[in-house]
Amino acid sequence: MISSELSNRIIFILSLLGLAVASFLFYEYQISGSIVCPTGQGCDIVRASPYSRFFGISIPILGIVFYLTMSALAVVRTQLFSFKIHTLQLLIAVLGVGFGIYLTYLEIFVIGAICFWCVLSFIISIIVLLSVILARKNL
Amino acid sequence: MKTETKILGAILIGTLVLLVGGILLLSRGNSGPAGIEGASVSQIDYSKGQKIGSDSAKVKLVEFSDFQCPACAAAEPSVRSIRISYPDQVQFIYRHFPLPQHAFGRVAAAYAEAAGEQGKFWEMHERLFETQSEWSGLSKKEAAEFFLKITGDLGLDENKIKEQVNGNTIQAKIDSDLVEGRNLGVNSTPTFFLNGRKLTLQRFEDLNTAVSNALK
């Protein structure tokens, strides 16, 4: 268990980091050249696949919305920490990680390529979820 | 309001401002279907590269490309439609720009050139892009066998191919394309030059718009 303040700060900082990763990918999805990718050409393959969009929405946009919501909730939580806010954080974080599991499954088993930035975002979302869960509920 | 709320709130607002600013800048930079306005005319050596179309064509479209680059494979349908639609008005020139992160980009380029020595560059070019996902993940030996099999399917002389692939002529040709590309400021693939102007494409379909505008 970690204190509520520490948990909230971790959530805030990691959400901003996740936002940076998602924004970078959003930028890369707009241009046509190769993506800077430490795992070789994985990012290009993932971007070129039909799974780079979810119901017509570019996946990085979903990432941006997710991290923006998480960081905004962290700001709200510094002012009023209620059970509702915590539940909302938990719900959105679970949704985010769940979606991340689905995307990572697609990368490994369907597309057959790993996009470094997507996996990094997935790891960040897992730590965000853990911080939400581990927060001491000192309501 | 608590101090922490103020600090985190200010950081979040600052981040939002940066994000919105960045998106606005990005959308402004990409205004128009294909940004060629403002791009200066680069001096390209038109004697080099693999060509389709007449030397006297009004429009010269040069592509710096890498056979192992997924974006290049994704661009191929748009490029092919231009090659087919404007056989007389557009000369398409393919230049090699194998990126270092692609293990077989350069080898594939060499096989395409070797096929070109026997008059089948474009057939090889097409097959390499079509099968890109099949050979990209292979080992070095398997990839070489894969390329040889394609040349075999195209009815080319296998011994000649093997001999030429590592030969100085073809390697020098690829190097010269790479050097010229770098001098022209190419840093990603595919990079297109339309009558010497570097294109900034949002979607590869915009290539057709850019070419038809140049033909007006």
Side-chain angles (χ1 to χ4, degrees):
Chain A
M1 286 300 192
I2 50 174
S3 77
S4 173
E5 285 80 16
L6 181 62
S7 143
N8 201 43
R9 283 174 196 160
I10 294 175
I11 294 170
F12 184 75
I13 293 168
L14 285 178
S15 296
L16 289 190
L17 202 68
L19 189 62
V21 173
S23 307
F24 168 72
L25 272 180
F26 173 71
Y27 167 74
E28 289 287 3
Y29 273 49
Q30 301 305 306
I31 57 169
S32 51
S34 252
I35 301 179
V36 182
C37 190
T39 47
Q41 51 172 353
C43 301
D44 287 329
I45 297 175
V46 171
R47 178 179 59 178
S49 79
Y51 305 102
S52 67
R53 303 181 87 82
F54 186 72
F55 289 108
I57 307 166
S58 175
I59 301 282
I61 294 183
L62 295 177
I64 291 175
V65 172
F66 169 71
Y67 288 116
L68 267 184
T69 314
M70 286 310 287
S71 46
L73 281 177
V75 176
V76 174
R77 198 171 118 176
T78 54
Q79 188 66 25
L80 68 155
F81 183 38
S82 68
F83 182 70
K84 271 186 190 167
I85 298 281
H86 189 259
T87 314
L88 195 59
Q89 277 186 318
L90 188 65
L91 193 76
I92 295 173
V94 167
L95 264 179
V97 171
F99 195 61
I101 292 173
Y102 166 67
L103 292 178
T104 311
Y105 160 80
L106 285 180
E107 281 181 53
I108 300 173
F109 297 104
V110 181
I111 307 171
I114 290 290
C115 158
F116 171 81
W117 302 106
C118 313
V119 174
L120 181 64
S121 170
F122 179 48
I123 294 170
I124 292 173
S125 69
I126 292 174
I127 306 176
V128 167
L129 175 65
L130 285 179
S131 310
V132 177
I133 293 171
L134 290 178
R136 209 182 295 141
K137 288 182 187 172
N138 44 358
L139 296 170
Chain B
M1 205 185 269
K2 287 180 190 165
T3 322
E4 183 152 349
T5 314
K6 285 182 189 161
I7 297 173
L8 297 197
I11 296 175
L12 184 60
I13 290 169
T15 312
L16 271 177
V17 169
L18 278 177
L19 193 68
V20 172
I23 290 173
L24 283 180
L25 211 69
L26 191 69
S27 55
R28 222 183 62 181
N30 282 338
S31 64
I36 47 169
E37 295 121 72
S40 57
V41 177
S42 305
Q43 291 306 315
I44 299 175
D45 186 346
Y46 291 113
S47 67
K48 292 176 180 167
Q50 294 287 347
K51 296 169 199 157
I52 277 194
S54 154
D55 274 342
S56 58
K58 186 180 173 192
V59 168
K60 282 183 193 286
L61 180 66
V62 178
E63 177 187 13
F64 280 87
S65 179
D66 173 351
F67 287 113
Q68 204 180 345
C69 135
C72 303
E76 190 43 30
S78 304
V79 182
R80 188 185 305 144
S81 91
I82 288 170
R83 287 201 298 266
I84 296 168
S85 310
Y86 312 100
D88 302 323
Q89 299 118 300
V90 179
Q91 182 179 50
F92 176 73
I93 306 173
Y94 185 94
R95 304 289 300 267
H96 299 289
F97 201 77
L99 296 169
Q101 65 262 40
H102 294 151
F104 310 127
R106 192 182 171 101
V107 184
Y111 273 90
E113 283 297 334
E117 296 287 325
Q118 295 179 50
K120 293 224 166 148
F121 175 83
W122 294 103
E123 288 84 348
M124 187 68 186
H125 164 275
E126 198 162 312
R127 294 294 290 276
L128 284 170
F129 276 128
E130 276 170 5
T131 56
Q132 190 191 68
S133 58
E134 293 171 43
W135 53 264
S136 286
L138 299 177
S139 70
K140 196 177 170 186
K141 192 168 163 265
E142 287 168 336
E145 282 165 7
F146 193 99
F147 297 146
L148 262 183
K149 192 183 168 298
I150 304 180
T151 57
D153 291 346
L154 292 173
L156 303 175
D157 183 334
E158 195 181 312
N159 290 331
K160 269 190 188 167
I161 296 276
K162 277 184 185 165
E163 191 185 305
Q164 286 167 337
V165 160
N166 296 315
N168 289 337
T169 322
I170 284 178
Q171 294 301 325
K173 214 170 177 179
I174 299 171
D175 281 332
S176 124
D177 278 7
L178 269 170
V179 169
E180 190 171 352
R182 281 194 206 109
N183 289 340
L184 290 166
V186 174
N187 53 17
S188 65
T189 53
T191 295
F192 295 95
F193 288 89
L194 188 64
N195 284 342
R197 286 179 203 270
K198 192 173 174 181
L199 291 179
T200 317
L201 299 168
Q202 220 169 352
R203 296 171 307 149
F204 293 127
E205 296 85 61
D206 294 338
L207 201 56
N208 197 24
T209 320
V211 168
S212 51
N213 283 345
L215 282 169
K216 277 177 193 164

